[in-house]
Amino acid sequence: MTAAAAAGGTAVAEAAGSELWARFRTRCARLVGRGDPDRESEALERLDRTAARLAAGADADEREREWQREVQARVWREEFAALLDSVAAAERDELLAGLLALRVRTGGHESGGTVSGNTFHGPVAFQTGARSTQEIRFGAAG
């Protein structure tokens, strides 16, 4: 549950300000609202505050922007963790699936890319994620 809450929090911070935001915030608010229009409306307001805080720091240096993304991811991780703790096991499974779906829909990075239907033959290095780096060497010289 902790990993799902963390993944959901990261998804919120990554999606805010991207071209995915409008659809993402609606899906996220529905997930948090769990069928209650008032809870959904409150979630939309909190999501908008998150996006506004991240947008306000857009002119800051990269370190400050990254810190703000981490803060907002933590806020939403705690929100999702509390939500998961507050529901019965059957509903918890649905919420866990919903949190995973949020993460998948963001593609794990700000551009909103999606990876689907791939077939790999032979050595493969595959990674998605915002600001990720990877160094891979195949073969004896690696």
Side-chain angles (χ1 to χ4, degrees):
M1 286 192 328
T2 302
T10 299
V12 171
E14 288 177 350
S18 75
E19 70 269 7
L20 296 173
W21 182 244
R23 288 187 321 205
F24 178 92
R25 72 184 275 279
T26 300
R27 287 184 185 121
C28 186
R30 283 187 193 139
L31 181 68
V32 172
R34 300 180 341 269
D36 181 320
D38 291 334
R39 280 195 305 238
E40 188 173 324
S41 179
E42 290 170 10
L44 285 169
E45 290 175 14
R46 289 193 314 271
L47 287 161
D48 289 341
R49 283 194 300 270
T50 293
R53 287 181 180 125
L54 291 172
D59 294 331
D61 64 25
E62 179 60 29
R63 188 174 179 178
E64 177 67 21
R65 286 192 310 268
E66 183 61 29
W67 181 79
Q68 283 295 333
R69 280 189 293 268
E70 289 174 14
V71 167
Q72 294 307 313
R74 188 175 338 117
V75 165
W76 282 96
R77 178 187 70 220
E78 292 169 3
E79 168 81 20
F80 294 134
L83 181 60
L84 287 165
D85 285 341
S86 72
V87 297
E91 192 174 0
R92 187 175 303 125
D93 290 342
E94 290 178 30
L95 286 171
L96 287 168
L99 287 171
L100 178 60
L102 287 178
R103 184 69 177 150
V104 169
R105 286 190 180 116
T106 66
H109 53 81
E110 292 176 8
S111 68
T114 302
V115 178
S116 175
N118 295 289
T119 303
F120 300 102
H121 302 280
V124 174
F126 182 80
Q127 178 175 344
T128 64
R131 298 163 297 282
S132 296
T133 59
Q134 190 176 64
E135 187 175 322
I136 298 176
R137 295 184 176 86
F138 293 108

